[in-house]
Amino acid sequence: MRKFTLYCIFACLSSVIMAQTPKDEIKKNIFLSASNLMAYPIPTGLLTPAPKGMKPFYISHYGRHGSRYLANSHEYDYPYNTLRHADSLGMLTELGKNVLLRLDVIRQEAQGRLGELTPLGHEQQCKIARRMFERFPEVFEGDAHIDAKSTVVIRCILSMESFLQQLVRMNPALKITHDASQHDMYYMNQNDPMLWFRKTELDASEPFLQFCRRHDLSQPLLQRLVSDTAFISHELNASRFAYTFFKVASNVQNTELRKHLTLYDAFTDEEIYSNWLRENARFYIGFANCPLNEGVQPYSQRNLLRQIIIEADSCIRQRKPSASLRFGHETMIMPLVCLLNLNGYGVQIADIEQLARRGWCNYKIFPMAANIQFVFYRRHVGDNDVVFKVLLNENEATLPLKTDMAPYYHWRDFRDYYLKLLDAYKH
């Protein structure tokens, strides 16, 4: 009877958790609204024990750089200069004046650091590396070989170095090779002109623009900051201001200023949600399996997925444990997640109004320092039945493959399925 009661309690709790909508989640944790500017969350999922007799021997990883400053000076300058101009005309409310002071502090902190890794970004990579080492110590035993590659962007290179330094602190005997070269950019940060053109075209498509207009709550925000309604109507681009201002507000969580100030108090809950809703749609259209772009954007990562398979096949044949670490960007993470259909994120949703209602949430895919880890297991060297599990942001994830040992999958099944998928793509 007691077991049945506990089961009922668990079932009820589970149904409450499942019933939570993105709007509920964002209201509970405002930082989720930052989309790709969200700071990395601590993983909460428990790891399923390995199949009997199997031990981890290889990890294949692709990770985003850690927390950074905004990459474009315009993103800091536009909201600051807009309010500064209104202030020069005596048109700021008390809240507007206070927000202007905070924007000035944020802008000065970021001066000369556009797109660079923040101290939090370094800390995130160290912690992810430590957890990886502690969770799968067999992979890092003795003089295991760790091969790391980064895109040529400095924040990614520094993320790689922070990660590797942490591993070396935990085992100085590791044999590490690392590089950041244009030689590897064809898969590390693939430039696919036709798909990029399609993405930029769809950003300006009428369905997306209509969606943004329906969820635009920029006017009430400006009216709380600027007292002159005529000035707001005729001198300002309210949508542009709200968009850039929200980006600055979102990114504070990635800097040391997060300990001292916020800009979220300038927004209502509804405005925060509407800003996230539009960014969620933008990333779905631009990088996911969206019918508006014929579902081809995930294939921008076809070279990366093929490389992951090639390197895994090679490392499986080695006697010693090893790891392949790759450091890049969220614009690789999201389409790769969708190409793999991790956790069902490869779904096609024709009506973008249904995205949030159906649980497609960008913040669950690519926060700062987002990562995908394939962890491989075997019974002994030469074992032909290699299995693996995949972690998304260090939590166990699902693949669209049949398995008799979930969340573990047979490597041969993965290899056959995804090589056929890649070979069938016509480009």
Side-chain angles (χ1 to χ4, degrees), residues 327-344:
F327 297 85
H329 308 269
E330 77 271 34
T331 48
M332 276 73 250
I333 292 278
M334 174 166 280
L336 179 58
V337 165
C338 295
L339 182 58
L340 293 168
N341 199 10
L342 275 186
N343 291 344

Side-chain angles (χ1 to χ4, degrees), residues 65-73 75-76 110 112-118 153-156 251:
H65 57 75
S67 285
R68 61 166 170 80
Y69 295 95
L70 294 177
N72 193 323
S73 61
E75 294 170 328
Y76 289 106
R113 297 189 174 103
L114 294 175
E116 292 181 3
L117 201 69
T118 65
V153 178
I154 189 63
R155 61 180 173 269
C156 300
N251 203 59

Side-chain angles (χ1 to χ4, degrees), residues 1-16:
M1 182 66 183
R2 183 172 178 271
K3 287 183 178 179
F4 179 75
T5 303
L6 288 174
Y7 172 79
C8 290
I9 293 171
F10 176 77
C12 291
L13 288 173
S14 298
S15 65
V16 170

Side-chain angles (χ1 to χ4, degrees), residues 113-128:
R113 297 189 174 103
L114 294 175
E116 292 181 3
L117 201 69
T118 65
L120 180 60
H122 163 78
E123 181 183 323
Q124 290 161 347
Q125 296 296 346
C126 290
K127 288 182 176 179
I128 294 169

